[in-house]
Amino acid sequence: MSVETSSQKGFKDTEKIVVQDVENVYRPDVDTSGIDERRLLRRIDWHVVPWLAVLYLLNFLDRGNIGNAKLYHMTDDLHITDKQYLIALTVFFFPYSLFEPPSNLALKKLRPSLWLSFIMLIWGIAMTLHGVVTNYAGLVGLRFLLGLAEAGLYPGIVFYLSCWYKRNELGTRVGVFFSSATIAGAFSGLLAAAIENMDGVGGKPGWAWIFILEGLVTVICAVASFFILSDFPDTAKFLNDTERVWVVRRLQADMKFSAGGEKFKMKYVWQSLADWKTWLAMGIYMGFDGPLFAFSLFTPTIINQLGFKATAANLLSVPVYAWACLMTVIIGFLGDRVKTRAWINLGLFGSGLVGYIILICSTNPSLSYFAVYVAASSIYPTIRACSIYHIPITFFAWVSSNVEGSYKRSAVLGMAIGWGNLNGAVTSNVYRAIDKPWYRLGHGIVLAYIAIGWICSLAMYIYLRRENAAKERGDRDEVIDGVNNKRASEKNGHFESIEAARMEKGDHWSGFRYSL
């Protein structure tokens, strides 16, 4: 086995050598030749993906239904001003952002079925209590608790999926999971319009019942999650021993060596902090996450101020989200089947720029409503695309495909998503009542966020393409004991074996290639 020879033949030969070495390391006594790959993957899909989609649907529904409730005189009944309402929206994002990194580490330590069910139960209770709150202080406290509890679900699910599927398989699965966000947007308007008819039942207004009923559903699903959710592949109860070994081996062959039960070391957290790509990924994530929160919280309000009544505004938001869902699925399908997925991402950011330019310039309600569709067909597929591209130009892609080690991956994911979500504290304040009905200041700020995402995406793509070229030339080759490689350099590290170099350096290893 020679690094020099594998370098000459290209990365595929290097990968084959590593696959062979890793498979010999993990449970070599188990014969997996009888596994039917397609049948087993379908079984994994049914056990893993659908329930995650349900959880995220509830997560997104509970987070954004305050925008629907506001149209039914919530602020009047609580005697709060527009400024106080915006502050209540803002406080959600501070715990939501800051708690994500430790939450992801807790998920890895405590297992998904326990941790995700627990945080879901807390936010379900918080959501239910929204329906009995009577003043501004109570609303602010509950929004803080809601943000604290919801923080762990979004990054936790993405990290969890990356521990089950190979890089080229994540696209469709994450797409099904994330499409539930757009479905939640559509459901939110429909449910709000329906539940509002309970106005006066039990002496409570219609907006209160929106929170109570949706919160109780979340509590019930939280309890069910503890029994439904499976944990990581090496401990999954719905797999037999041979199937568990097969899943771990194929993930290791795909360069996710962490699937075999990686031990936590604090160095993985420091590695993620020291890697400058983490910080650039934060810029990419804020480029679509800020607009996402602004869109989900204020779409009913924007439509309402264009001249439509409360119930009509909620109902008119339904086709917007249905369109976003359709575009999300189409872009996800396309993204899994093209090689240079970066350009899809840049195109989506570009269409978002077009949508918000129209919103800024328009004084026609019909044209503005059309621009809302353009914006939706950019914002939601962009986040979906980021999870399927498997390239480091976007956050999810980088985590799932271009970061080796589950703890480092979870730390990076938590930090980048946390930073992106912190910007929700900004975008939740940009649509002020004094700017209605056209909200040009809010649209302009969202436009700036999208521009930042586009620029950072392009910069990351260019860098990683150059980095792959450097590895192909041998500029990153390490010195390996017993291996004759004239291009190896001590500055890249000195290791006793290829496997030792790979385990120590992760995605910085010379044999690792960033997916483009």
Side-chain angles (χ1 to χ4, degrees):
M1 181 169 57
S2 168
V3 171
E4 185 174 15
T5 301
S6 62
S7 297
Q8 292 170 349
K9 289 183 178 180
F11 173 63
K12 290 185 178 180
D13 288 343
T14 303
E15 188 174 26
K16 289 178 182 177
I17 293 172
V18 175
V19 170
Q20 183 179 9
D21 286 347
V22 176
E23 288 190 347
N24 287 337
V25 169
Y26 188 78
R27 304 287 299 278
D29 57 306
V30 178
D31 179 16
T32 61
S33 59
I35 295 292
D36 184 329
E37 180 174 359
R38 294 186 63 181
R39 177 180 293 182
L40 182 54
L41 277 178
R42 283 197 299 270
R43 184 146 59 90
I44 292 173
D45 288 340
W46 280 110
H47 278 83
V48 174
V49 178
W51 190 248
L52 295 181
V54 171
L55 299 190
Y56 192 60
L57 185 150
L58 294 173
N59 176 267
F60 207 85
L61 188 67
D62 291 345
R63 180 192 312 168
N65 59 12
I66 191 171
N68 303 104
K70 179 177 182 290
L71 298 184
Y72 296 114
H73 311 293
M74 182 192 76
T75 53
D76 295 333
D77 291 346
L78 295 180
H79 306 292
I80 61 177
T81 65
D82 179 66
K83 182 177 180 180
Q84 289 175 322
Y85 173 73
L86 293 178
I87 291 174
L89 296 184
T90 302
V91 298
F92 168 91
F93 293 98
F94 294 109
Y96 187 76
S97 303
L98 298 176
F99 192 59
E100 282 181 332
S103 178
N104 248 25
L105 295 176
L107 179 145
K108 176 66 178 175
K109 293 286 279 186
L110 298 178
R111 62 193 175 89
S113 60
L114 179 62
W115 182 248
L116 294 181
S117 300
F118 171 72
I119 62 176
M120 190 177 180
L121 177 64
I122 298 300
W123 102 57
I125 293 172
M127 177 51 52
T128 304
L129 293 177
H130 273 62
V132 298
V133 69
T134 57
N135 53 48
Y136 170 63
L139 180 63
V140 169
L142 287 174
R143 295 305 293 181
F144 183 91
L145 180 61
L146 184 68
L148 185 69
E150 284 199 2
L153 189 79
Y154 190 26
I157 287 180
V158 176
F159 162 65
Y160 175 59
L161 285 174
S162 73
C163 293
W164 277 93
Y165 295 102
K166 294 166 63 175
R167 289 179 288 181
N168 65 343
E169 297 168 346
L170 272 173
T172 304
R173 279 80 178 182
V174 176
V176 172
F177 142 64
F178 188 76
S179 294
S180 62
T182 56
I183 296 172
F187 267 136
S188 186
L190 284 173
L191 288 174
I195 297 174
E196 199 276 334
N197 291 318
M198 294 181 65
D199 185 41
V201 174
K204 294 191 175 297
W207 62 263
W209 282 111
I210 293 174
F211 293 126
I212 293 171
L213 294 182
E214 293 180 7
L216 289 176
V217 171
T218 300
V219 170
I220 293 171
C221 289
V223 176
S225 291
F226 180 77
F227 302 98
I228 294 175
L229 276 178
S230 301
D231 292 314
F232 298 108
D234 53 338
T235 60
K237 294 180 180 179
F238 71 89
L239 300 175
N240 60 40
D241 190 57
T242 302
E243 291 169 339
R244 284 193 288 268
V245 171
W246 180 83
V247 173
V248 171
R249 285 180 182 175
R250 69 193 298 271
L251 291 176
Q252 290 179 325
D254 193 48
M255 295 188 159
K256 290 184 180 150
F257 57 77
S258 53
E262 179 187 16
K263 301 298 183 181
F264 173 75
K265 296 180 182 178
M266 193 61 191
K267 73 172 184 178
Y268 300 133
V269 178
W270 298 124
Q271 285 175 355
S272 63
L273 288 170
D275 196 329
W276 73 270
K277 295 190 296 297
T278 302
W279 308 99
L280 191 53
M282 290 180 179
I284 298 170
Y285 194 83
M286 69 179 283
F288 56 73
D289 206 38
L292 171 68
F293 285 117
F295 191 90
S296 62
L297 289 171
F298 290 99
T299 296
T301 298
I302 292 171
I303 296 175
N304 175 240
Q305 292 304 320
L306 291 177
F308 300 97
K309 300 300 182 181
T311 297
N314 274 325
L315 292 177
L316 282 172
S317 69
V318 174
V320 174
Y321 285 105
W323 172 252
C325 182
L326 177 63
M327 289 300 298
T328 297
V329 173
I330 292 173
I331 294 298
F333 182 84
L334 179 63
D336 271 349
R337 286 158 180 79
V338 299
K339 294 182 179 180
T340 309
R341 302 179 179 95
W343 301 109
I344 298 179
N345 186 56
L346 291 170
L348 288 171
F349 270 123
S351 65
L353 294 174
V354 171
Y356 276 94
I357 288 173
I358 295 175
L359 283 170
I360 291 171
C361 299
S362 173
T363 57
N364 182 289
S366 298
L367 181 59
S368 295
Y369 185 58
F370 165 76
V372 170
Y373 279 86
V374 177
S377 62
S378 170
I379 292 172
Y380 286 91
T382 299
I383 297 184
R384 162 70 161 82
C386 289
S387 64
I388 64 174
Y389 288 163
H390 319 311
I391 52 178
I393 63 160
T394 56
F395 176 67
F396 290 136
W398 184 54
V399 170
S400 63
S401 300
N402 296 313
V403 175
E404 280 291 75
S406 64
Y407 281 106
K408 181 182 177 183
R409 190 185 310 133
S410 64
V412 171
L413 185 146
M415 286 188 291
I417 293 183
W419 168 247
N421 289 339
L422 188 60
N423 284 273
V426 177
T427 57
S428 63
N429 283 279
V430 299
Y431 287 100
R432 305 175 302 173
I434 61 174
D435 297 323
K436 64 183 182 182
W438 306 113
Y439 296 105
R440 289 191 172 87
L441 175 63
H443 295 328
I445 293 174
V446 172
L447 181 70
Y449 269 86
I450 295 174
I452 291 171
W454 191 92
I455 293 170
C456 291
S457 294
L458 181 62
M460 186 72 91
Y461 171 72
I462 293 173
Y463 168 79
L464 290 170
R465 188 172 182 176
R466 290 179 176 178
E467 188 65 16
N468 275 352
K471 290 184 177 183
E472 291 288 352
R473 292 192 303 266
D475 297 347
R476 303 291 185 263
D477 285 1
E478 305 86 356
V479 175
I480 307 295
D481 290 342
V483 175
N484 180 23
N485 182 6
K486 296 179 180 179
R487 295 183 299 188
S489 173
E490 288 281 354
K491 70 178 182 180
N492 297 323
H494 190 146
F495 301 93
E496 61 181 11
S497 66
I498 292 177
E499 184 62 18
R502 175 174 172 263
M503 294 292 289
E504 176 66 24
K505 298 184 69 175
D507 48 278
H508 294 293
W509 170 56
S510 62
F512 187 93
R513 295 298 183 271
Y514 296 109
S515 301
L516 296 175

